[in-house]
Amino acid sequence: MNFSPVRHHLPCPSPRLARSGTADPPLSWIPTDVLLHVWRNFCDFSALVHCEQVCLSWARLLNSREGEALWRAHALRLWAQKQPPVVPLPVHVSERSWKRQFALRLQDARRTRLTAAELTAADWHFRFKIDLQLFHSSDRDRGLLHSRERAKLNFAPDGVYTSTIPGAPSSSRPLKWSLQTSGEDTLLQIGAYPPLLVERTADWGWRMYNRFVEFYTVMDGCR
């Protein structure tokens, strides 16, 4: 393993050793470049948070300009695999450090309650969970069905839902929508249809479904 020349060492202070006059503990002799390499390639966000609490010198390094670049690299690497927030972060949040942005995004990914602003701003996809038409169609008909243009779904801020789903009531008349809570769950009610349960997906997107249909968000470039 080749590393660039070591610029400096960061001593890891130990009150006990300082009082006794003993030499610095072994951690103090880990070169900065080695630390940054290990943190960049072998640590996740949680591990970095723990490393920050090991000693003052490590905390200083992780909050330095080099540390900020490290948080940024970890954040961008993870975010490339996740869906961005439907509603962009406020300006005062986006101006914070990369470490703080990273923590806020991880915290937001655990949130399961969809807001009305997110519902109306998201680019929703739709599918029937069980499409009975497929069981009675020829191969050619199935191909035409899957190649058709994606339906447009619109959850308007005034509480009205419309779509271009062929044959769906929402394609010919507006339906009322409302977000509701039931214990820890968030439900979306559209007209008189069975409510849809709202969930987060593994890639930090959103999914709303019942036994018949499903609405979901996807990463850019996916269907």
Side-chain angles (χ1 to χ4, degrees):
M1 186 180 299
N2 295 321
F3 298 105
S4 58
V6 177
R7 294 190 299 275
H8 56 277
H9 295 279
L10 290 177
C12 186
S14 170
R16 180 178 61 81
L17 293 175
R19 287 194 301 270
S20 64
T22 309
D24 290 331
L27 286 177
S28 67
W29 299 106
I30 302 177
T32 300
D33 289 354
V34 174
L35 277 175
L36 292 173
H37 176 83
V38 171
W39 289 343
R40 182 178 298 108
N41 295 285
F42 302 104
C43 292
D44 58 12
F45 179 84
S46 178
L48 289 180
V49 171
H50 287 295
C51 288
E52 192 177 21
Q53 300 171 17
V54 168
C55 61
L56 183 59
S57 61
W58 283 21
R60 286 173 177 166
L61 178 56
L62 284 168
N63 285 279
S64 67
R65 184 175 61 181
E66 293 166 307
E68 181 72 357
L70 185 66
W71 293 111
R72 179 180 184 275
H74 273 283
L76 294 180
R77 185 186 307 163
L78 178 62
W79 295 350
Q81 308 167 35
K82 306 296 183 181
Q83 294 188 40
V86 174
V87 178
L89 294 173
V91 173
H92 70 279
V93 173
S94 62
E95 290 177 346
R96 295 177 182 175
S97 69
W98 278 96
K99 181 180 72 172
R100 181 60 177 158
Q101 289 189 58
F102 201 169
L104 289 173
R105 286 285 297 275
L106 289 176
Q107 180 181 7
D108 182 73
R110 294 191 290 269
R111 178 174 55 87
T112 58
R113 294 203 169 178
L114 181 71
T115 66
E118 290 171 316
L119 176 66
T120 57
D123 180 20
W124 294 102
H125 292 240
F126 173 88
R127 63 181 165 220
F128 289 100
K129 295 189 71 176
I130 300 178
D131 196 340
L132 297 179
Q133 182 179 356
L134 292 179
F135 292 100
H136 305 284
S137 302
S138 65
D139 291 340
R140 179 178 179 278
D141 291 336
R142 293 191 189 97
L144 291 174
L145 181 64
H146 287 295
S147 64
R148 70 189 179 195
E149 183 180 355
R150 181 165 70 93
K152 294 180 174 61
L153 315 171
N154 180 40
F155 291 93
D158 60 359
V160 171
Y161 166 69
T162 56
S163 78
T164 60
I165 301 171
S170 55
S171 64
S172 58
R173 58 184 173 86
L175 301 175
K176 296 293 291 183
W177 66 261
S178 63
L179 285 171
Q180 306 167 359
T181 57
S182 176
E184 296 296 321
D185 296 330
T186 300
L187 304 173
L188 174 67
Q189 183 71 51
I190 300 178
Y193 291 98
L196 298 113
L197 179 64
V198 179
E199 290 183 347
R200 295 305 291 267
T201 57
D203 62 353
W204 297 0
W206 293 95
R207 174 178 179 242
M208 309 184 298
Y209 67 96
N210 58 27
R211 59 182 297 188
F212 304 107
V213 299
E214 180 178 7
F215 296 82
Y216 58 99
T217 61
V218 300
M219 293 185 64
D220 291 341
C222 300
R223 288 192 62 182

